[in-house]
Every structure is written in structure tokens, then in C-alpha cells.
């Protein structure tokens, strides 16, 4: 209890800000914007991420960098009850999961397609070996540990992974909420398929995407959450093996092929 009191006393601003931001975002509710390529559905979590970012050390400087790191670690604590609920719902609806067939397991291969898109872009932007670590996966906690273990903490590959880890933590929920809304507005994919696609291996991103889809398809909201939770769980389990044996080797091979052809030359090489 004494340790808990010390932590609360030291970081009370974080807890108070979280409470206020949650209340404000709940009052704002869901906002739908009609744009040219579809309808953007902005979930309250999107506003929470934006408000939290504004209070950080780079803009309004309400919180210091150390406090921001503590706040980031608390995300897992907040998501724990939700993920437990998803696990219970998945177990109670096991028949629905089984009826989907091998799609839940095979979806991990679909994530490899992003390597083919992201690697050329990373090289065109001027990244070198950092692109290997940045492009081989979604780069969440397990992937950061994997890259560090294979290449070392100071390797450029690890720096690339860490960069995407930070970017994903800051704007990942905003991006995937908007992406899910736009893709859903095309009316091409089944809502259940979109729910499965929400499980990218990040609990917060899955929650944001599945929540947005639930607003768009209220009749399917529960099934979307169930599939998203199950997909996210399986991605977390299989993703580390897919990254180790397929993702990283593929990224390294693509780098070796594409870097001499489209990689940008640095100043020393030009001289």
C-alpha cells in the first residue's frame, strides 16, 4: 500500500488527465465525416489519443517525458479487463470461430504483403538497414524484443523497429480507426472479415478498429469484436514465429535486391 501511495502521489496528474480526457471524449461521442473516398468514423479513442498527444512535452508540455512513458505502460493495465472480456466472449462463441475455418490462422500470411509495399517506400525515403526492422512486421513489444535479440540494441535494424514502435503507439489507433472506416465505406468486404483484419497484434489498435466497425455495423458489432479479439490473440501467438522465419528473411532479401537499385545515396557516397 505504501508503494501504491507513492506512485499515486507522484503521477496523480496522469490519472486525473486520463479521467478528464475520458469524460470529454465520451461526451463528444462518435463523429462521422463524409469525405470523397468514403465516410470517416472517428471513435472517442481517436480524440483521446489526440488530446493526450497535445498535453505531451512537445506541445503544451503539461507532462514530462518520464510521465509520458509511465502513461504508455498503463495502457496494458487498462486493456487487460477488455482483453479478458474478449477471451471469455471468444470461448463462449467457439462454434462461430470454428465455422470461420483456417482463415483466422492463414491471415498472418496477409500481413507479409505489407513488406512488399513498405520496403520500397522506406528505401525511397532514405532509410538503409533501418528499413529491415521497420518493415518486417507491425513492430509491437514482442517484435521489438525479437529484433533486439537478433541484431542487438544498437543495430540499425533495431532502431528501425523502435521507430515504428513509437509511431504506432502515438498515431496507430488514429490511423487504423480512419482506415477501417474508409475501407468499410467501400462495401466490398464482409463485416466479419474486416473484424478479423482488425486483429493486427496490438490490443489498442484492434479495439479502435473493431469499435469503429461496430459503429458502422451495429447488428454485427458483437461478432466483429469476437473475431477481432480472437484474431489479435492468434496474431500475437503466431506473429513472432512468422516474423522470425518468414518476415525478417523476406525483408532482408528484399533489401538486398532493392537497395542498390532504388536506395538513396548519402552525402559521403555522393562525394
Amino acid at each position: 500500500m505504501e508503494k501504491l501511495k507513492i506512485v499515486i502521489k507522484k503521477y496523480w496528474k496522469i490519472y486525473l488527465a486520463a479521467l478528464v480526457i475520458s469524460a470529454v471524449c465520451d461526451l463528444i461521442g462518435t463523429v462521422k465525416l463524409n469525405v470523397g473516398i468514403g465516410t470517416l468514423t472517428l471513435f472517442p479513442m481517436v480524440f483521446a489519443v489526440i488530446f493526450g498527444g497535445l498535453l505531451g512535452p512537445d506541445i503544451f508540455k503539461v507532462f514530462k517525458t518520464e510521465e509520458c512513458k509511465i502513461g504508455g505502460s498503463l495502457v496494458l493495465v487498462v486493456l487487460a479487463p477488455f482483453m479478458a472480456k474478449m477471451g471469455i466472449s471468444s470461448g463462449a462463441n467457439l462454434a462461430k470461430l470454428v465455422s470461420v475455418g483456417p482463415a483466422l490462422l492463414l491471415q498472418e500470411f496477409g500481413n507479409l504483403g505489407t513488406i512488399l509495399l513498405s520496403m520500397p517506400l522506406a528505401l525511397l525515403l532514405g532509410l538503409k538497414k533501418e528499413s529491415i526492422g521497420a518493415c518486417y512486421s507491425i513492430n509491437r513489444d514482442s517484435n521489438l524484443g525479437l529484433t533486439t535479440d537478433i541484431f542487438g540494441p544498437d543495430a540499425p535494424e533495431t532502431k528501425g523497429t523502435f521507430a515504428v514502435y513509437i509511431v504506432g503507439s502515438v498515431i496507430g489507433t488514429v490511423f487504423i480507426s480512419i482506415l477501417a472506416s474508409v475501407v468499410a465505406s467501400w462495401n466490398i468486404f464482409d463485416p466479419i472479415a474486416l473484424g478479423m483484419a482488425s486483429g493486427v497484434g496490438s490490443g489498442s489498435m484492434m479495439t479502435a478498429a473493431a469499435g469503429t466497425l461496430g459503429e458502422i455495423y451495429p447488428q454485427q458489432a458483437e461478432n466483429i469484436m469476437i473475431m477481432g479479439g480472437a484474431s489479435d490473440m492468434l496474431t500475437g501467438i503466431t506473429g513472432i514465429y512468422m516474423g522470425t522465419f518468414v518476415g525478417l528473411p523476406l525483408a532482408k532479401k528484399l533489401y538486398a535486391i532493392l537497395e542498390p537499385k532504388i536506395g538513396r545515396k548519402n552525402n559521403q557516397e555522393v562525394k
Side-chain angles (χ1 to χ4, degrees), residues 225-250:
M225 277 293 183
I226 291 171
M227 291 301 172
S231 172
D232 197 69
M233 177 187 67
L234 288 172
T235 298
I237 295 172
T238 61
I240 193 70
Y241 299 105
M242 187 65 72
T244 303
F245 299 111
V246 183
L248 269 176
L250 177 59

Side-chain angles (χ1 to χ4, degrees), residues 46-269:
V46 175
F47 299 112
V49 173
I50 294 173
F51 292 153
L54 292 175
L55 296 177
D58 296 321
I59 303 179
F60 291 118
K61 301 180 180 180
V62 176
F63 299 108
K64 300 176 182 178
T65 303
E66 180 186 359
E67 292 172 323
C68 292
K69 291 179 179 179
I70 292 295
S73 64
L74 291 175
V75 173
L76 295 177
V77 178
V78 176
L79 287 176
F82 176 79
M83 296 309 297
K85 178 181 179 296
M86 287 298 97
I88 294 172
S89 298
S90 299
N93 295 272
L94 190 59
K96 293 181 181 179
L97 298 179
V98 174
S99 66
V100 175
L104 275 173
L105 292 174
L106 294 176
Q107 65 153 353
E108 189 63 33
F109 286 94
N111 296 336
L112 298 174
T114 57
I115 301 175
L116 305 178
L117 174 65
S118 60
M119 180 63 75
L121 289 176
L123 293 174
L124 289 173
L125 289 172
L127 273 68
K128 293 299 182 181
K129 288 188 176 180
E130 293 87 355
S131 60
I132 296 174
C135 300
Y136 86 97
S137 73
I138 192 175
N139 289 337
R140 292 296 88 206
D141 302 75
S142 59
N143 301 113
L144 182 59
L146 173 64
T147 314
T148 303
D149 183 63
I150 293 177
F151 298 102
D154 298 322
E157 291 87 350
T158 303
K159 293 177 181 178
T161 299
F162 188 71
V164 175
Y165 176 86
I166 295 298
V167 172
S169 298
V170 175
I171 66 171
T173 54
V174 178
F175 173 79
I176 201 167
S177 295
I178 295 174
L179 180 64
S181 176
V182 171
V183 174
S185 68
W186 296 343
N187 294 318
I188 298 176
F189 302 101
D190 188 278
I192 300 301
L194 293 176
M196 290 170 55
S198 301
V200 295
S202 168
S204 57
M205 292 185 192
M206 185 279 293
T207 305
T212 299
L213 293 170
E215 290 287 330
I216 299 173
Y217 305 106
Q219 299 87 353
Q220 295 275 23
E222 182 180 358
N223 290 333
I224 289 172
M225 277 293 183
I226 291 171
M227 291 301 172
S231 172
D232 197 69
M233 177 187 67
L234 288 172
T235 298
I237 295 172
T238 61
I240 193 70
Y241 299 105
M242 187 65 72
T244 303
F245 299 111
V246 183
L248 269 176
L250 177 59
K252 291 168 69 175
K253 185 66 175 179
L254 271 179
Y255 176 82
I257 295 173
L258 297 178
E259 199 281 330
K261 298 179 180 178
I262 64 174
R264 290 174 58 179
K265 303 292 184 180
N266 58 37
N267 293 332
Q268 291 181 347
E269 290 175 332

